[in-house]
Amino acid sequence: MMEKCIIYCRVSTEKKEQQTSLERQVEELTSLAGRNNLPVYKTIKEEQSGYSMEREGLLEMLEDFSSGKASILCVQDDTRLGRGHAKVAVLHALHKSGVTIYSVRENGVLELSESDSMLIDILSIVEEHQRRLHNFKIKRGMKRAVENGYRPDKNLKNRGQGERVKKEVPIEEIIRLRQRDLPFYDIAATLRGLGYDVSKATVHRRYREHMKKEGEGS
């Protein structure tokens, strides 16, 4: 299935000349998507300061990427995503979701500046250490539970069968943890702590499958 893109356009004020800029962004980005054979899932336009993270359109875009409705972003340039620290935060969130960014400025995949790349790397390193600490807490909790009589092997499904079967995954728990903004890596670690032998990829796939079914049923 071909990956879909979201077109994101932003101007900072409601002035008439900025309205013209907003429509020009839509035209240029629609053309960019067409040249790169990217089906457009949604076009988001908003009039908000780039220094603010409290943007309805921005949050809507990030939610769509997190739920797997699209995986590619088209913007005029990186300043449309934000300014200052807000821009770095948005780029980091997109990086975590595995989003590929296309820009009009590069006429293709966006190339980050050296400073932005460095900051994102630093944030990723900090998050990795936070994940390790989180996983250590889970392991410690599971060790105590086992010492108190808990048997995680009782929760493992399909163990010992010769044929390959679809893993049992508690989708309700995945949804609950995802609603608390936990990344798929941490959700998988939590489920493994509960006795479910699952990877980040499996959790992500099951979540996307569920969201797709929900969308079809609505």
Side-chain angles (χ1 to χ4, degrees), residues 8-23 25-26 44-58 80:
Y8 180 77
C9 312
R10 183 188 65 80
V11 292
S12 57
T13 70
E14 299 180 5
K15 292 181 180 179
K16 186 177 180 180
E17 58 268 26
Q18 290 286 51
Q19 289 295 316
T20 302
S21 172
L22 199 60
E23 294 307 317
Q25 287 181 49
V26 174
I44 296 175
K45 299 184 290 183
E46 62 182 353
E47 301 160 1
Q48 292 286 337
S49 168
Y51 290 100
S52 173
M53 290 292 291
E54 298 177 2
R55 292 179 255 155
E56 287 296 327
L58 173 65
R80 297 304 95 197

Side-chain angles (χ1 to χ4, degrees), residues 10-121:
R10 183 188 65 80
V11 292
S12 57
T13 70
E14 299 180 5
K15 292 181 180 179
K16 186 177 180 180
E17 58 268 26
Q18 290 286 51
Q19 289 295 316
T20 302
S21 172
L22 199 60
E23 294 307 317
R24 186 174 65 251
Q25 287 181 49
V26 174
E27 292 177 4
E28 291 177 346
L29 291 169
T30 301
S31 177
L32 175 68
R35 290 195 302 274
N36 289 277
N37 299 314
L38 304 175
V40 178
Y41 169 72
K42 180 183 293 184
T43 296
I44 296 175
K45 299 184 290 183
E46 62 182 353
E47 301 160 1
Q48 292 286 337
S49 168
Y51 290 100
S52 173
M53 290 292 291
E54 298 177 2
R55 292 179 255 155
E56 287 296 327
L58 173 65
L59 296 178
E60 178 183 346
M61 175 185 75
L62 293 176
E63 287 175 0
D64 286 339
F65 283 132
S66 293
S67 61
K69 295 176 181 176
S71 59
I72 299 172
L73 173 64
C74 291
V75 292
Q76 188 176 52
D77 56 62
D78 57 2
T79 64
R80 297 304 95 197
L81 295 174
R83 298 281 188 175
H85 293 160
K87 183 183 76 171
V88 175
V90 173
L91 287 171
H92 180 55
L94 294 170
H95 175 72
K96 283 173 58 180
S97 295
V99 177
T100 301
I101 307 174
Y102 281 70
S103 78
V104 173
R105 185 178 63 190
E106 272 88 3
N107 193 28
V109 177
L110 176 69
E111 294 184 11
L112 297 180
S113 67
E114 185 176 345
S115 59
D116 285 342
S117 295
M118 181 179 67
L119 287 172
I120 291 174
D121 287 343

Side-chain angles (χ1 to χ4, degrees), residues 97-176:
S97 295
V99 177
T100 301
I101 307 174
Y102 281 70
S103 78
V104 173
R105 185 178 63 190
E106 272 88 3
N107 193 28
V109 177
L110 176 69
E111 294 184 11
L112 297 180
S113 67
E114 185 176 345
S115 59
D116 285 342
S117 295
M118 181 179 67
L119 287 172
I120 291 174
D121 287 343
I122 291 172
L123 289 172
S124 297
I125 291 171
V126 171
E127 284 201 340
E128 177 61 27
H129 283 285
Q130 289 176 332
R131 280 195 205 100
R132 291 179 180 178
L133 178 60
H134 177 70
N135 290 340
F136 173 73
K137 290 179 180 178
I138 291 173
K139 290 179 180 178
R140 185 179 64 173
M142 288 304 302
K143 181 179 179 181
R144 290 178 177 176
V146 169
E147 289 172 350
N148 291 326
Y150 175 66
R151 294 292 303 279
D153 55 295
K154 298 297 183 182
N155 288 337
L156 292 176
K157 308 297 182 180
N158 305 313
R159 173 171 282 186
Q161 297 184 13
E163 61 184 80
R164 182 178 177 85
V165 293
K166 191 172 184 179
K167 291 180 179 178
E168 291 290 338
V169 180
I171 188 64
E172 297 83 3
E173 186 68 11
I174 292 175
I175 294 169
R176 184 182 71 81

